[in-house]
Amino acid sequence: MHFSDLYQPITQQTADKSKAIRLLICDIDGVFSDGRIYLGNQGEELKAFNTKDGFGIKALIESGVEVAVITGRHSEIVKQRMTSLNVKHIYQGQENKVAAYEELKSTLGLEDEQIAYIGDDGPDIPVMQLVGLAVAVADAHPLVKRLAHYTTMLPGGFGAVRELTDLLMLSQGNELLSKGSST
């Protein structure tokens, strides 16, 4: 099966870059979620996550690719969701995403070319300029799209992460379906 059978055609450059990826880093708001934050009267914060994205993350981890999140906000909901998906590298409250990126790169002993990043807005740009595969969600800010090697068909919070995990897995010759049960 080819990626273009499921989504959209990709360039040979994108396919080649995808083969080398050993770490996927994701932003949260606008990528895993649709960017909206629901605040209750008691100050509680709610976010909606797409189970398809969760399924893709679990499958990608099972295939041997590490996954991390770097987000500017801090939220217990994010910690709970990422932990449930077996994401080991969770960086929250990161105003300087490059510092977290450099720490991850060093900890895992990776080169820029082995790292993919998916983002949607201005704070993601500095990291996107460093990685081997920069990805923008369909509804990302135009400046983010301009930088991206690939822009998803699907918007943030509605399967964009799953689209990217499918791209990475198919490019690396892996099956798309995870053996894990819950997402």
Side-chain angles (χ1 to χ4, degrees), residues 8 23-24 31-32 54 68 70 78 84 92 97 101 111 122 124 126 133 146-147 155 165 168 179:
Q8 62 186 332
L23 169 65
L24 169 60
V31 173
F32 263 103
I70 301 175
V78 169
S84 75
Q92 295 196 74
K97 291 186 176 191
Y101 170 77
E111 300 295 325
D124 302 311
L133 180 65
R146 180 183 273 172
L147 264 175
T165 62
L168 297 176
K179 294 176 187 80

PDB file of all heavy atoms in Angstrom, residues 8 23-24 31-32 54 68 70 78 84 92 97 101 111 122 124 126 133 146-147 155 165 168 179:
ATOM      1  N   GLN A   8      -2.743  11.756   0.056  1.00  0.00           N
ATOM      2  CA  GLN A   8      -2.417  12.595  -1.099  1.00  0.00           C
ATOM      3  C   GLN A   8      -1.021  12.227  -1.592  1.00  0.00           C
ATOM      4  O   GLN A   8      -0.235  11.638  -0.837  1.00  0.00           O
ATOM      5  CB  GLN A   8      -2.488  14.081  -0.723  1.00  0.00           C
ATOM      6  CG  GLN A   8      -1.499  14.485   0.366  1.00  0.00           C
ATOM      7  CD  GLN A   8      -1.689  15.913   0.832  1.00  0.00           C
ATOM      8  OE1 GLN A   8      -2.156  16.764   0.098  1.00  0.00           O
ATOM      9  NE2 GLN A   8      -1.305  16.183   2.071  1.00  0.00           N
ATOM     10  N   LEU A  23      12.323   9.835  15.594  1.00  0.00           N
ATOM     11  CA  LEU A  23      11.617  10.554  16.656  1.00  0.00           C
ATOM     12  C   LEU A  23      10.610  11.496  16.018  1.00  0.00           C
ATOM     13  O   LEU A  23      10.967  12.275  15.137  1.00  0.00           O
ATOM     14  CB  LEU A  23      12.603  11.375  17.506  1.00  0.00           C
ATOM     15  CG  LEU A  23      11.991  12.384  18.489  1.00  0.00           C
ATOM     16  CD1 LEU A  23      11.180  11.695  19.583  1.00  0.00           C
ATOM     17  CD2 LEU A  23      13.095  13.253  19.109  1.00  0.00           C
ATOM     18  N   LEU A  24       9.367  11.407  16.468  1.00  0.00           N
ATOM     19  CA  LEU A  24       8.321  12.343  16.086  1.00  0.00           C
ATOM     20  C   LEU A  24       8.020  13.221  17.289  1.00  0.00           C
ATOM     21  O   LEU A  24       7.700  12.717  18.361  1.00  0.00           O
ATOM     22  CB  LEU A  24       7.047  11.616  15.652  1.00  0.00           C
ATOM     23  CG  LEU A  24       5.796  12.495  15.489  1.00  0.00           C
ATOM     24  CD1 LEU A  24       6.008  13.589  14.449  1.00  0.00           C
ATOM     25  CD2 LEU A  24       4.579  11.647  15.168  1.00  0.00           C
ATOM     26  N   VAL A  31      -2.746  20.750  17.130  1.00  0.00           N
ATOM     27  CA  VAL A  31      -2.206  19.571  16.453  1.00  0.00           C
ATOM     28  C   VAL A  31      -2.921  18.321  16.952  1.00  0.00           C
ATOM     29  O   VAL A  31      -3.627  17.657  16.212  1.00  0.00           O
ATOM     30  CB  VAL A  31      -0.667  19.465  16.647  1.00  0.00           C
ATOM     31  CG1 VAL A  31      -0.128  18.161  16.091  1.00  0.00           C
ATOM     32  CG2 VAL A  31       0.023  20.652  15.990  1.00  0.00           C
ATOM     33  N   PHE A  32      -2.742  17.994  18.236  1.00  0.00           N
ATOM     34  CA  PHE A  32      -3.497  16.883  18.837  1.00  0.00           C
ATOM     35  C   PHE A  32      -4.933  17.303  19.130  1.00  0.00           C
ATOM     36  O   PHE A  32      -5.827  16.471  19.216  1.00  0.00           O
ATOM     37  CB  PHE A  32      -2.850  16.414  20.141  1.00  0.00           C
ATOM     38  CG  PHE A  32      -1.964  15.225  19.988  1.00  0.00           C
ATOM     39  CD1 PHE A  32      -0.595  15.367  19.979  1.00  0.00           C
ATOM     40  CD2 PHE A  32      -2.492  13.955  19.851  1.00  0.00           C
ATOM     41  CE1 PHE A  32       0.232  14.270  19.847  1.00  0.00           C
ATOM     42  CE2 PHE A  32      -1.677  12.850  19.717  1.00  0.00           C
ATOM     43  CZ  PHE A  32      -0.310  13.009  19.713  1.00  0.00           C
ATOM     44  N   GLY A  54      -4.504   8.927  18.518  1.00  0.00           N
ATOM     45  CA  GLY A  54      -3.970   8.061  19.567  1.00  0.00           C
ATOM     46  C   GLY A  54      -3.570   6.699  19.037  1.00  0.00           C
ATOM     47  O   GLY A  54      -2.512   6.165  19.383  1.00  0.00           O
ATOM     48  N   ALA A  68       7.488  12.273  21.167  1.00  0.00           N
ATOM     49  CA  ALA A  68       7.579  13.274  22.228  1.00  0.00           C
ATOM     50  C   ALA A  68       6.572  14.378  21.957  1.00  0.00           C
ATOM     51  O   ALA A  68       6.122  14.551  20.819  1.00  0.00           O
ATOM     52  CB  ALA A  68       8.988  13.862  22.278  1.00  0.00           C
ATOM     53  N   ILE A  70       6.095  18.619  22.800  1.00  0.00           N
ATOM     54  CA  ILE A  70       6.630  19.865  23.350  1.00  0.00           C
ATOM     55  C   ILE A  70       5.524  20.899  23.193  1.00  0.00           C
ATOM     56  O   ILE A  70       5.092  21.184  22.082  1.00  0.00           O
ATOM     57  CB  ILE A  70       7.896  20.341  22.614  1.00  0.00           C
ATOM     58  CG1 ILE A  70       9.012  19.293  22.665  1.00  0.00           C
ATOM     59  CG2 ILE A  70       8.379  21.661  23.219  1.00  0.00           C
ATOM     60  CD1 ILE A  70      10.251  19.663  21.859  1.00  0.00           C
ATOM     61  N   VAL A  78      -3.036  16.884  29.338  1.00  0.00           N
ATOM     62  CA  VAL A  78      -2.029  16.475  28.353  1.00  0.00           C
ATOM     63  C   VAL A  78      -1.166  15.353  28.919  1.00  0.00           C
ATOM     64  O   VAL A  78      -0.910  14.360  28.240  1.00  0.00           O
ATOM     65  CB  VAL A  78      -1.160  17.681  27.923  1.00  0.00           C
ATOM     66  CG1 VAL A  78       0.052  17.229  27.108  1.00  0.00           C
ATOM     67  CG2 VAL A  78      -2.005  18.674  27.135  1.00  0.00           C
ATOM     68  N   SER A  84      -1.199   7.781  28.649  1.00  0.00           N
ATOM     69  CA  SER A  84      -2.057   6.665  28.228  1.00  0.00           C
ATOM     70  C   SER A  84      -1.669   6.138  26.853  1.00  0.00           C
ATOM     71  O   SER A  84      -1.963   4.993  26.508  1.00  0.00           O
ATOM     72  CB  SER A  84      -3.535   7.071  28.240  1.00  0.00           C
ATOM     73  OG  SER A  84      -3.833   7.903  27.138  1.00  0.00           O
ATOM     74  N   GLN A  92       6.189  20.164  28.910  1.00  0.00           N
ATOM     75  CA  GLN A  92       5.120  21.152  28.994  1.00  0.00           C
ATOM     76  C   GLN A  92       5.664  22.475  29.524  1.00  0.00           C
ATOM     77  O   GLN A  92       6.708  22.510  30.171  1.00  0.00           O
ATOM     78  CB  GLN A  92       4.009  20.651  29.915  1.00  0.00           C
ATOM     79  CG  GLN A  92       3.305  19.410  29.381  1.00  0.00           C
ATOM     80  CD  GLN A  92       1.999  19.166  30.089  1.00  0.00           C
ATOM     81  OE1 GLN A  92       1.035  19.883  29.852  1.00  0.00           O
ATOM     82  NE2 GLN A  92       1.971  18.170  30.953  1.00  0.00           N
ATOM     83  N   LYS A  97      10.878  26.241  22.819  1.00  0.00           N
ATOM     84  CA  LYS A  97      10.768  24.859  22.378  1.00  0.00           C
ATOM     85  C   LYS A  97      12.099  24.304  21.872  1.00  0.00           C
ATOM     86  O   LYS A  97      12.325  23.103  21.918  1.00  0.00           O
ATOM     87  CB  LYS A  97       9.687  24.719  21.311  1.00  0.00           C
ATOM     88  CG  LYS A  97       8.288  24.935  21.864  1.00  0.00           C
ATOM     89  CD  LYS A  97       7.224  24.654  20.827  1.00  0.00           C
ATOM     90  CE  LYS A  97       5.842  24.779  21.453  1.00  0.00           C
ATOM     91  NZ  LYS A  97       4.803  24.279  20.558  1.00  0.00           N
ATOM     92  N   TYR A 101      13.855  20.672  22.489  1.00  0.00           N
ATOM     93  CA  TYR A 101      14.263  19.913  21.306  1.00  0.00           C
ATOM     94  C   TYR A 101      15.715  19.461  21.419  1.00  0.00           C
ATOM     95  O   TYR A 101      16.039  18.285  21.203  1.00  0.00           O
ATOM     96  CB  TYR A 101      14.065  20.767  20.050  1.00  0.00           C
ATOM     97  CG  TYR A 101      14.676  20.173  18.810  1.00  0.00           C
ATOM     98  CD1 TYR A 101      14.047  19.135  18.150  1.00  0.00           C
ATOM     99  CD2 TYR A 101      15.887  20.638  18.307  1.00  0.00           C
ATOM    100  CE1 TYR A 101      14.606  18.569  17.008  1.00  0.00           C
ATOM    101  CE2 TYR A 101      16.447  20.087  17.174  1.00  0.00           C
ATOM    102  CZ  TYR A 101      15.805  19.050  16.534  1.00  0.00           C
ATOM    103  OH  TYR A 101      16.362  18.485  15.418  1.00  0.00           O
ATOM    104  N   GLU A 111      20.310  12.811  15.272  1.00  0.00           N
ATOM    105  CA  GLU A 111      20.655  13.950  14.426  1.00  0.00           C
ATOM    106  C   GLU A 111      19.356  14.614  13.969  1.00  0.00           C
ATOM    107  O   GLU A 111      18.307  13.986  13.947  1.00  0.00           O
ATOM    108  CB  GLU A 111      21.460  13.479  13.206  1.00  0.00           C
ATOM    109  CG  GLU A 111      22.762  12.784  13.558  1.00  0.00           C
ATOM    110  CD  GLU A 111      23.757  13.706  14.252  1.00  0.00           C
ATOM    111  OE1 GLU A 111      23.792  14.910  13.897  1.00  0.00           O
ATOM    112  OE2 GLU A 111      24.472  13.233  15.141  1.00  0.00           O
ATOM    113  N   GLY A 122       3.138  29.956  15.164  1.00  0.00           N
ATOM    114  CA  GLY A 122       4.420  30.617  15.322  1.00  0.00           C
ATOM    115  C   GLY A 122       5.409  29.979  16.289  1.00  0.00           C
ATOM    116  O   GLY A 122       6.593  29.875  15.959  1.00  0.00           O
ATOM    117  N   ASP A 124       6.032  27.087  16.885  1.00  0.00           N
ATOM    118  CA  ASP A 124       6.586  25.850  16.340  1.00  0.00           C
ATOM    119  C   ASP A 124       7.687  26.100  15.307  1.00  0.00           C
ATOM    120  O   ASP A 124       8.492  25.209  15.011  1.00  0.00           O
ATOM    121  CB  ASP A 124       5.471  25.012  15.698  1.00  0.00           C
ATOM    122  CG  ASP A 124       4.375  24.689  16.691  1.00  0.00           C
ATOM    123  OD1 ASP A 124       4.703  24.228  17.800  1.00  0.00           O
ATOM    124  OD2 ASP A 124       3.196  24.912  16.366  1.00  0.00           O
ATOM    125  N   PRO A 126      10.628  27.800  15.148  1.00  0.00           N
ATOM    126  CA  PRO A 126      12.055  27.585  15.411  1.00  0.00           C
ATOM    127  C   PRO A 126      12.477  26.112  15.379  1.00  0.00           C
ATOM    128  O   PRO A 126      13.555  25.791  14.878  1.00  0.00           O
ATOM    129  CB  PRO A 126      12.264  28.198  16.802  1.00  0.00           C
ATOM    130  CG  PRO A 126      11.194  29.243  16.907  1.00  0.00           C
ATOM    131  CD  PRO A 126      10.009  28.642  16.184  1.00  0.00           C
ATOM    132  N   LEU A 133      12.249  16.555   9.009  1.00  0.00           N
ATOM    133  CA  LEU A 133      10.930  16.554   8.383  1.00  0.00           C
ATOM    134  C   LEU A 133      10.006  17.473   9.170  1.00  0.00           C
ATOM    135  O   LEU A 133       9.588  17.142  10.283  1.00  0.00           O
ATOM    136  CB  LEU A 133      10.346  15.136   8.324  1.00  0.00           C
ATOM    137  CG  LEU A 133       8.957  15.009   7.693  1.00  0.00           C
ATOM    138  CD1 LEU A 133       8.991  15.395   6.210  1.00  0.00           C
ATOM    139  CD2 LEU A 133       8.413  13.597   7.869  1.00  0.00           C
ATOM    140  N   ARG A 146       4.306  27.387   4.922  1.00  0.00           N
ATOM    141  CA  ARG A 146       5.370  27.771   3.995  1.00  0.00           C
ATOM    142  C   ARG A 146       6.680  27.061   4.334  1.00  0.00           C
ATOM    143  O   ARG A 146       7.458  26.720   3.452  1.00  0.00           O
ATOM    144  CB  ARG A 146       5.558  29.285   4.052  1.00  0.00           C
ATOM    145  CG  ARG A 146       6.645  29.802   3.118  1.00  0.00           C
ATOM    146  CD  ARG A 146       6.825  31.275   3.276  1.00  0.00           C
ATOM    147  NE  ARG A 146       5.892  31.953   2.398  1.00  0.00           N
ATOM    148  CZ  ARG A 146       5.682  33.251   2.398  1.00  0.00           C
ATOM    149  NH1 ARG A 146       6.306  34.021   3.264  1.00  0.00           N
ATOM    150  NH2 ARG A 146       4.847  33.810   1.551  1.00  0.00           N
ATOM    151  N   LEU A 147       6.926  26.822   5.612  1.00  0.00           N
ATOM    152  CA  LEU A 147       8.149  26.161   6.080  1.00  0.00           C
ATOM    153  C   LEU A 147       8.110  24.637   5.949  1.00  0.00           C
ATOM    154  O   LEU A 147       9.146  23.991   5.924  1.00  0.00           O
ATOM    155  CB  LEU A 147       8.311  26.437   7.572  1.00  0.00           C
ATOM    156  CG  LEU A 147       9.182  27.556   8.025  1.00  0.00           C
ATOM    157  CD1 LEU A 147       9.084  27.688   9.523  1.00  0.00           C
ATOM    158  CD2 LEU A 147      10.601  27.354   7.588  1.00  0.00           C
ATOM    159  N   PRO A 155      -7.073  18.575   9.351  1.00  0.00           N
ATOM    160  CA  PRO A 155      -6.738  19.639  10.303  1.00  0.00           C
ATOM    161  C   PRO A 155      -6.347  19.087  11.675  1.00  0.00           C
ATOM    162  O   PRO A 155      -6.624  17.927  12.003  1.00  0.00           O
ATOM    163  CB  PRO A 155      -8.042  20.444  10.392  1.00  0.00           C
ATOM    164  CG  PRO A 155      -9.117  19.489  10.027  1.00  0.00           C
ATOM    165  CD  PRO A 155      -8.502  18.501   9.068  1.00  0.00           C
ATOM    166  N   THR A 165       1.580   9.815  11.204  1.00  0.00           N
ATOM    167  CA  THR A 165       2.105   8.505  11.635  1.00  0.00           C
ATOM    168  C   THR A 165       1.972   7.485  10.506  1.00  0.00           C
ATOM    169  O   THR A 165       2.864   6.656  10.309  1.00  0.00           O
ATOM    170  CB  THR A 165       1.428   7.990  12.923  1.00  0.00           C
ATOM    171  OG1 THR A 165       0.026   7.790  12.705  1.00  0.00           O
ATOM    172  CG2 THR A 165       1.654   8.951  14.096  1.00  0.00           C
ATOM    173  N   LEU A 168       4.872   8.103   8.076  1.00  0.00           N
ATOM    174  CA  LEU A 168       6.142   7.581   8.586  1.00  0.00           C
ATOM    175  C   LEU A 168       6.183   6.062   8.523  1.00  0.00           C
ATOM    176  O   LEU A 168       7.178   5.470   8.079  1.00  0.00           O
ATOM    177  CB  LEU A 168       6.376   8.064  10.021  1.00  0.00           C
ATOM    178  CG  LEU A 168       6.520   9.582  10.196  1.00  0.00           C
ATOM    179  CD1 LEU A 168       6.650   9.942  11.666  1.00  0.00           C
ATOM    180  CD2 LEU A 168       7.692  10.123   9.392  1.00  0.00           C
ATOM    181  N   LYS A 179      -1.312  -3.228  17.461  1.00  0.00           N
ATOM    182  CA  LYS A 179      -1.858  -4.365  18.207  1.00  0.00           C
ATOM    183  C   LYS A 179      -2.511  -3.893  19.509  1.00  0.00           C
ATOM    184  O   LYS A 179      -3.234  -4.623  20.140  1.00  0.00           O
ATOM    185  CB  LYS A 179      -0.744  -5.361  18.508  1.00  0.00           C
ATOM    186  CG  LYS A 179      -0.198  -5.996  17.247  1.00  0.00           C
ATOM    187  CD  LYS A 179       0.981  -6.916  17.588  1.00  0.00           C
ATOM    188  CE  LYS A 179       1.637  -7.423  16.352  1.00  0.00           C
ATOM    189  NZ  LYS A 179       2.542  -6.493  15.716  1.00  0.00           N
TER     190      LYS A 179
END
